Amino acid sequence: WAYAAASSGTDAGPGEQAATVAPCPERQLRASGLNASEAQPLFSLANGERVGLVSNTATKCLVRSLGSRFAGETCATAAEIAEGHATSVGDECASTGKNLMEITGLAPEGVLSVRLISSDGTSRSTSVLSGAFRFDGTNPVAGGPYPTGVEWLGSDAGRVGTAGLPVNGDQFCEPTS
């Protein structure tokens, strides 16, 4: 089983949009007049999913695929991206024994790097590629630090903004062993 959460620009709080299966594959893409097959490849995740970007003048979408199978989407307008509504957290909940966790998202215009902030105050950074970012890792251990949000950094490494993640600390899968 896999767990995924995404914030898609509604007024719901963190974790309130969590789902184990998307209700209608490619619904956000179709609503924006976009097609998953037109996504330009960006990067691959540790779980083997490929992530691409497709956009128009109003909306950007990250599209995940595994082989030829559609695996998910995160779509948002520029305003929604700036508000932090374009970040997804996916973890494997020990289905493979690897407890992999990936955090992907879209960054506001002008952001060059993203810092992932953890509950213990530590952080790690990654570069923004074509407006997108990713963090690969493993699920937090019970009682240990967990990711809480992202901080967007501009060209001078100064903070452009911050956003919480669409899950809370107690909503991450915990390794079973």
Side-chain angles (χ1 to χ4, degrees), residues 142-163:
Y146 54 89
T148 59
V150 293
E151 182 176 54
W152 296 306
L153 305 172
S155 60
D156 62 355
R159 186 167 80 172
V160 174
T162 62

Side-chain angles (χ1 to χ4, degrees), residues 109-131:
E109 196 68 36
V111 170
L112 299 180
S113 64
V114 177
R115 186 178 295 144
L116 181 66
I117 309 297
S118 291
S119 60
D120 64 355
T122 61
S123 65
R124 61 184 180 137
S125 297
T126 191
S127 298
V128 172
L129 174 65
S130 297

Side-chain angles (χ1 to χ4, degrees), residues 45-140:
L45 301 176
N47 67 0
E49 288 182 351
R50 292 184 322 270
V51 178
L53 177 71
V54 62
S55 64
N56 58 26
T57 57
T59 305
K60 285 185 176 182
C61 295
L62 286 181
V63 178
R64 295 183 328 277
S65 61
L66 189 56
S68 62
R69 193 182 107 243
F70 176 80
E73 67 205 327
T74 300
C75 297
T77 65
E80 291 167 338
I81 293 168
E83 293 171 2
H85 297 299
T87 302
S88 296
V89 177
D91 52 8
E92 294 185 342
C93 299
S95 64
T96 65
K98 297 178 184 176
N99 292 304
L100 296 176
M101 178 179 63
E102 291 86 22
I103 298 172
T104 59
L106 295 166
E109 196 68 36
V111 170
L112 299 180
S113 64
V114 177
R115 186 178 295 144
L116 181 66
I117 309 297
S118 291
S119 60
D120 64 355
T122 61
S123 65
R124 61 184 180 137
S125 297
T126 191
S127 298
V128 172
L129 174 65
S130 297
F133 64 90
R134 72 164 180 185
F135 292 95
D136 287 324
T138 56
N139 294 315

